[in-house]
């Protein structure tokens, strides 16, 4: 939730603060030194963790209905009221965010909530599907990138006379951390490969619920628990049942809605890119932003007095070098995702301990990706080292790698679109709920739940 709601604000604050510090250092209002740039590195984590607190000082806070926390689990009366009003909470929401794990569609209440959100015949709703492990991967990527950037900053400040090759050597130890990150990434990809089959084979009759797993007895007090399955099945019968139904036709209708409407919607919202580009920028590229505190005063000071020297070309080389770090980070992310997917495809289904196979795959896939990244960096910095400081030949490898990166990223996840069957399903839901197109009543009114709570 910090990533979803706070990462963009943290990125913007870090960028604005770094540019401001760079400008103030350029005009000599702030001194050059470790202190100001250290503060710039601290802005992002502080805003990421506390943005909602800061935001509440100026505007209305964001309200989130988080079912795990907002439904009382200890007071049965409050729990019953919350469950009765669940449809209204969903109807009043602007967006549904799913924290997806491989057990999500095997849990009765989870599937009920998302299908309730989709069944509204009057409005199109935005659904954001976020794998739970995605946050771990983004945070680990972000930590690695900040460690690399911060270590480079400290060492170059302490030893300003390091050569380009010595600076590049500082990044090599961090390649040893790749297998740990790749172990997590391969696990996430492995889970995601199961999602289409989960949706295709979904049956609400087989979904799990906590009360049935406990034999409808409270584990501490021994009191009898109401069956959630019966409550949900009764509500599904109200929505999708017909008077002449003799059995579980309404459940099969609900299953068809999941297969034909929910499945395309979820798969499209997941997209082909597990790590959305926007979150890669907000969480990973932000590690390069504090370097602007140093880059801006360097550009403002200029190269000094040089005869027959092109200052504009010199400034572009400085900007290209900073931007190349951003390109390298994005390549690392994108190639890692492809490597994880390749590892999952090549992984044997049975016969070996999965954790061992996953560990070996993480180690093996990190070798070619690390080699590729080294080639990428050396192709640029090799030219940077052996050309004059105002020579723009470095633009060639920079533009080349940006074009390759664009091709690599051209299959990024897109905003979910409404499939043709979704419109057909709306008509079906209207008829199943005894609603006509012109009927102004909402489904919440049909089942006797107030419109808002």
């Amino acid at each position: 939730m910090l990533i979803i709601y706070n990462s963009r604000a943290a990125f913007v604050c870090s960028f604005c603060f770094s540019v401001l510090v760079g400008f103030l250092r350029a005009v000599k209002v702030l001194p050059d030194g470790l202190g100001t740039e250290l503060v710039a590195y601290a802005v992002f984590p502080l805003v990421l963790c506390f943005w909602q607190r800061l935001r509440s000082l100026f505007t209305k806070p964001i309200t989130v209905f988080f079912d795990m926390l907002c439904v009382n689990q200890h007071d049965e009366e409050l729990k019953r009221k919350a469950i009765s009003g669940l449809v209204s909470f969903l109807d009043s929401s602007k967006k549904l965010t799913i924290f997806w794990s491989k057990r999500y569609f095997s849990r009765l209440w989870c599937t009920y909530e998302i299908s309730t959100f989709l069944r509204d015949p009057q409005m199109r709703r935005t659904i954001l599907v976020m794998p739970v492990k995605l946050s771990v991967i983004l945070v680990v990527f972000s930590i690695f990138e900040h460690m690399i950037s911060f270590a480079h900053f400290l060492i170059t400040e302490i030893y300003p006379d390091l050569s380009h090759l010595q600076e590049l050597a500082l990044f090599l130890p961090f390649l040893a951390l790749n297998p740990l990150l790749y172990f997590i990434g391969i696990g996430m990809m492995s889970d995601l490969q199961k999602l289409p089959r989960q949706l295709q084979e979904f049956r609400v009759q087989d979904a799990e619920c906590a009360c049935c797993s406990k034999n409808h007895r409270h584990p501490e007090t021994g009191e009898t628990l109401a069956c959630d399955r019966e409550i949900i099945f009764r509500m599904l019968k109200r929505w999708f049942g017909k008077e002449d139904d003799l059995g579980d036709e309404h459940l099969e209708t609900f299953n068809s809605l999941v297969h034909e409407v929910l499945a395309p919607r979820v798969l499209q919202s997941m997209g082909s890119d597990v790590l959305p580009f926007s979150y890669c920028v907000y969480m990973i590229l932000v590690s390069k932003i504090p370097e602007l505190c140093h880059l801006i005063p360097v550009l403002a000071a200029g190269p000094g007095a040089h005869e027959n020297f092109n200052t504009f070309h010199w400034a572009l080389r400085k900007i290209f070098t900073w931007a190349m770090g951003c390109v390298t980070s994005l390549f690392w992310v994108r190639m890692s995702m492809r490597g994880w997917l390749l590892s999952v495809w090549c992984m044997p289904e049975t016969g070996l301990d999965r954790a061992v196979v996953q560990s070996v795959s993480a180690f093996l896939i990190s070798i070619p990706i690390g080699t590729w990244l080294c080639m990428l960096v050396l192709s640029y910095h090799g030219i940077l080292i052996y050309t004059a400081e105002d020579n723009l030949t470095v633009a060639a490898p920079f533009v080349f790698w940006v074009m390759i990166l664009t091709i690599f990223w051209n299959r990024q996840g897109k905003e979910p679109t409404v499939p043709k069957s979704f419109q057909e399903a709306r008509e079906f839901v209207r008829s199943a709920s005894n609603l006509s197109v012109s009927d102004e009543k909402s489904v919440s009114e049909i089942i006797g739940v107030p419109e808002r709570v």
Side-chain angles (χ1 to χ4, degrees), residues 133-145:
K133 289 183 180 179
L134 173 63
S135 61
V136 179
I137 290 172
L138 282 171
V139 168
V140 173
F141 263 127
S142 183
I143 291 174
F144 280 13
E145 284 285 353

Side-chain angles (χ1 to χ4, degrees), residues 217-225:
R217 293 287 181 183
H218 195 283
E220 297 178 1
T221 64
E223 297 179 1
T224 302
L225 298 175

Side-chain angles (χ1 to χ4, degrees), residues 19-73:
V19 171
L20 177 62
V21 169
F23 175 77
L24 293 177
R25 287 175 64 172
V27 297
K28 306 303 181 182
V29 174
L30 288 177
D32 294 335
L34 288 174
T36 52
E37 203 158 337
L38 286 174
V39 175
Y41 276 99
V43 169
F44 175 77
L46 287 175
V47 177
L48 180 69
C49 294
F50 301 107
W51 171 242
Q52 295 306 319
R53 299 281 187 180
L54 298 172
R55 185 179 182 275
S56 64
L57 299 176
F58 307 101
T59 185
K60 183 179 179 181
I62 296 174
T63 301
V64 176
F65 178 81
F66 193 178
D67 56 357
M68 182 179 290
L69 300 179
C70 295
V71 176
N72 194 300
Q73 302 296 321

Side-chain angles (χ1 to χ4, degrees), residues 324-345:
M324 194 62 194
C326 300
V327 172
T328 304
S329 297
L330 289 177
F331 257 107
W332 181 31
V333 173
R334 190 59 171 165
M335 291 172 62
S336 296
M337 295 187 323
R338 294 303 182 190
W340 302 339
L341 189 58
L342 178 63
S343 297
V344 172
W345 287 345

Side-chain angles (χ1 to χ4, degrees), residues 55-318:
R55 185 179 182 275
S56 64
L57 299 176
F58 307 101
T59 185
K60 183 179 179 181
I62 296 174
T63 301
V64 176
F65 178 81
F66 193 178
D67 56 357
M68 182 179 290
L69 300 179
C70 295
V71 176
N72 194 300
Q73 302 296 321
H74 305 288
D75 188 313
E76 289 300 321
E77 179 62 21
L78 290 177
K79 181 179 179 180
R80 185 189 65 79
K81 289 181 178 180
I83 292 173
S84 299
L86 188 58
V87 175
S88 293
F89 290 126
L90 293 168
D91 283 347
S92 302
S93 300
K94 296 179 180 179
K95 179 186 291 186
L96 176 64
T97 301
I98 300 170
F99 297 150
W100 181 83
S101 68
K102 61 183 179 180
R103 292 188 59 243
Y104 184 87
F105 288 104
S106 67
R107 300 170 67 181
L108 188 63
W109 278 108
C110 292
T111 309
Y112 168 74
E113 286 178 349
I114 188 173
S115 300
T116 301
F117 201 81
L118 274 176
R119 73 148 186 15
D120 188 341
Q122 302 297 327
M123 296 176 63
R124 294 183 181 184
R125 300 302 184 108
T126 302
I127 296 179
L128 175 64
V129 183
M130 294 285 287
V132 173
K133 289 183 180 179
L134 173 63
S135 61
V136 179
I137 290 172
L138 282 171
V139 168
V140 173
F141 263 127
S142 183
I143 291 174
F144 280 13
E145 284 285 353
H146 277 85
M147 287 172 59
I148 293 171
S149 180
F150 187 67
H152 179 265
F153 156 68
L154 282 181
I155 294 175
T156 52
E157 283 287 329
I158 297 172
Y159 304 101
D161 297 327
L162 290 177
S163 67
H164 281 291
L165 288 177
Q166 290 174 324
E167 288 186 28
L168 292 178
L170 299 175
F171 298 102
L172 295 178
F174 291 95
L175 293 178
L177 300 175
N178 261 0
L180 172 62
L181 175 61
Y182 286 8
F183 181 86
I184 302 171
I186 292 172
M188 182 183 69
M189 281 291 188
S190 181
D191 291 344
L192 287 173
Q193 296 304 300
K194 302 172 185 176
L195 177 58
R197 177 171 290 185
Q198 284 183 2
L199 292 168
Q200 183 181 5
E201 298 178 354
F202 172 81
R203 291 180 75 252
V204 69
Q205 296 93 322
D206 300 332
E208 303 171 1
C209 59
C211 59
C212 295
S213 65
K214 299 173 183 176
N215 296 319
H216 303 98
R217 293 287 181 183
H218 195 283
E220 297 178 1
T221 64
E223 297 179 1
T224 302
L225 298 175
C227 184
D228 293 341
R229 190 181 302 275
E230 293 180 0
I231 296 173
I232 292 177
F233 284 7
R234 281 199 303 269
M235 298 186 76
L236 292 178
K237 190 169 185 177
R238 286 187 182 185
W239 292 344
F240 306 114
K242 298 179 182 178
E243 293 182 358
D244 56 349
D245 286 348
L246 300 177
D248 294 339
E249 289 88 344
H250 59 288
L251 300 182
E252 294 303 327
T253 300
F254 178 75
N255 292 337
S256 298
L257 183 65
V258 172
H259 298 159
E260 298 173 12
V261 179
L262 177 60
R265 182 84 172 185
V266 170
L267 293 175
Q268 285 183 2
S269 66
M270 295 288 276
S272 60
D273 234 347
V274 180
L275 297 180
F277 182 78
S278 58
Y279 291 127
C280 289
V281 172
Y282 300 152
M283 293 295 296
I284 299 172
L285 289 195
V286 70
S287 64
K288 308 299 180 185
I289 297 300
E291 295 177 14
L292 295 175
C293 295
H294 175 73
L295 178 61
I296 292 174
V298 168
L299 294 176
H306 290 275
E307 188 176 350
N308 298 323
F309 195 85
N310 193 316
T311 303
F312 179 70
H313 289 181
W314 171 85
L316 283 180
R317 277 171 61 98
K318 294 292 184 182

